[in-house]
Amino acid sequence: MSRHLLSAADLTREDALLVLDTAEEMALVEERTVKKLPTLRGRTVVNLFFEDSTRTRTSFELAAKRLSADVINFSAKGSSVSKGETLKDTALTLEAMGADAIVIRHAWSGAPVNLARWVHGSVVNAGDGTHEHPTQALLDAFTMRRRLGRVEGLKVTIVGDVLHSRVARSNVLLLSTLGADVTLVAPPTLLPVGVESWPAQVSYDLDAVLAKSDVVMMLRVQRERMGAAYFPSQREYARRYGLDVRRASALHDDAVVMHPGPMVRGMEIAPEVADGVRSTIVEQVRNGVSVRMAVLYLLLGGASPAIGGDA
Ligand code: CP
């Protein structure tokens, strides 16, 4: 693997499988009494978050701590960013304190790529604008493989606000690398220009694709990134693109329902479906820790054995 993880496109099939296999090893640590490995002792991981996060920030923090790294959690709120300090100066300041890896979430698409040019350590993209969220795609693939036994050949339907979704972009890239067959379902207003060049099919009719889907991944409608009305009303969106109980009943017996969170219950997905037996939403969060442990380990500590003993 390269020194950074900036895009799902950076991952070859072999890289992606290495992360997923390493994450399986990391998941074994969960079953131990002492859920900690000495692998990154003496290394420092900075979580540099300029946008809000619940799942990604806390799971990167937990992942780094489980590998015995020192962790600095930086939030733009309450920092010298409010005094006009730039991303570059913020990053160089944190690197001067010994950061070996910077995990960055930023509203600017491309912020992690720039950061990787400025610092000597590893950079992990934890979500940049509407661009990418590669560790979300890895944990989604890990969850599919655990539930369904494989990723290759799966029919994965990704539904909703594709236009603003970094999760959709990273998933389309990674899933196509791993041999899945991806269909995007969205209103025409919520599909990006150039989507026909993505390695995915496009449909406007959710009911037409549900029965043949192995995985249905619902996306969050990103109102904070919408400067205009992209659909008539929440009710109309839910009627055409929401996964309600009736629609979920069209899925085959083994099909699973995913959502990266945070979800808008009742609009994107019915509560009964989100909490039902097909749902992997809680597993996705749990798997995120194992996958992020694998990513940090492979970027920072790859030469030493992942599982050697307790810290
Ligand atoms: N899925 C995801 O990125 O969630 P958070 O915004 O809570 O990190």
Side-chain angles (χ1 to χ4, degrees):
M1 277 183 60
S2 87
R3 185 157 56 95
H4 310 295
L5 178 55
L6 305 175
S7 161
D10 296 342
L11 297 166
T12 64
R13 180 180 155 78
E14 289 67 34
D15 290 336
L17 291 175
L18 178 63
V19 175
L20 301 186
D21 292 344
T22 306
E24 286 291 354
E25 288 186 57
M26 296 301 177
L28 297 174
V29 176
E30 288 279 326
E31 291 160 24
R32 293 184 175 189
T33 318
V34 178
K35 297 178 174 45
K36 209 152 171 152
L37 297 170
T39 319
L40 295 186
R41 193 181 282 157
R43 317 299 293 276
T44 300
V45 174
V46 173
N47 288 321
L48 186 58
F49 276 62
F50 290 82
E51 270 194 337
D52 294 344
S53 168
T54 298
R55 283 147 281 268
T56 312
R57 194 190 62 74
T58 51
S59 63
F60 265 114
E61 179 178 354
L62 191 54
K65 285 180 172 169
R66 291 223 163 127
L67 294 170
S68 302
D70 295 322
V71 182
I72 298 170
N73 288 315
F74 173 95
S75 163
K77 285 179 196 132
S79 75
S80 288
V81 170
S82 65
K83 301 172 200 162
E85 189 159 45
T86 62
L87 171 62
K88 181 174 182 177
D89 288 332
T90 303
L92 292 178
T93 299
L94 292 165
E95 191 172 56
M97 293 183 212
D100 296 294
I102 298 180
V103 177
I104 179 171
R105 170 167 288 192
H106 206 289
W108 298 342
S109 299
V113 172
N114 281 309
L115 186 60
R117 292 195 193 108
W118 300 326
V119 299
H120 298 100
S122 294
V123 174
V124 182
N125 182 357
D128 61 330
T130 59
H131 179 225
E132 281 219 42
H133 195 350
T135 59
Q136 178 70 45
L138 284 163
L139 76 87
D140 290 339
F142 184 78
T143 303
M144 288 176 209
R145 201 170 74 158
R146 282 204 138 189
R147 268 281 187 124
L148 300 169
R150 70 193 203 285
V151 176
E152 187 161 13
L154 288 181
K155 295 195 182 311
V156 181
T157 301
I158 301 178
V159 186
D161 184 2
V162 177
L163 178 64
H164 300 103
S165 179
R166 53 199 179 202
V167 173
R169 277 171 182 73
S170 288
N171 261 294
V172 167
L173 290 165
L174 183 70
L175 290 170
S176 67
T177 298
L178 291 173
D181 178 5
V182 182
T183 300
L184 300 169
V185 181
T189 51
L190 289 177
L191 286 168
V193 172
V195 72
E196 56 283 352
S197 67
W198 292 22
Q201 297 160 66
V202 173
S203 170
Y204 306 111
D205 185 352
L206 181 54
D207 292 306
V209 299
L210 278 179
K212 55 190 175 204
S213 303
D214 300 305
V215 176
V216 183
M217 184 184 295
M218 305 306 293
L219 298 173
R220 185 170 71 84
V221 174
Q222 304 201 18
R223 290 192 167 274
E224 75 277 19
R225 301 191 205 278
M226 292 184 184
Y230 286 83
F231 46 85
S233 66
Q234 284 199 16
R235 193 175 158 150
E236 175 63 8
Y237 180 91
R239 193 180 70 76
R240 302 258 337 248
Y241 297 101
L243 190 61
D244 57 19
V245 173
R246 179 192 64 79
R247 283 209 168 102
S249 69
L251 291 165
H252 70 68
D253 287 349
D254 298 329
V256 297
V257 172
M258 308 183 78
H259 195 303
M263 58 186 153
V264 181
R265 288 172 180 255
M267 180 180 167
E268 299 150 6
I269 186 166
E272 298 87 342
V273 180
D275 300 330
V277 290
R278 295 180 184 285
S279 171
T280 65
I281 295 168
V282 175
E283 284 160 58
Q284 285 169 263
V285 176
R286 187 166 51 242
N287 291 339
V289 178
S290 306
V291 166
R292 286 168 177 138
M293 284 174 76
V295 167
L296 291 174
Y297 163 70
L298 290 167
L299 294 181
L300 288 179
S304 53
I307 311 281
D310 294 336

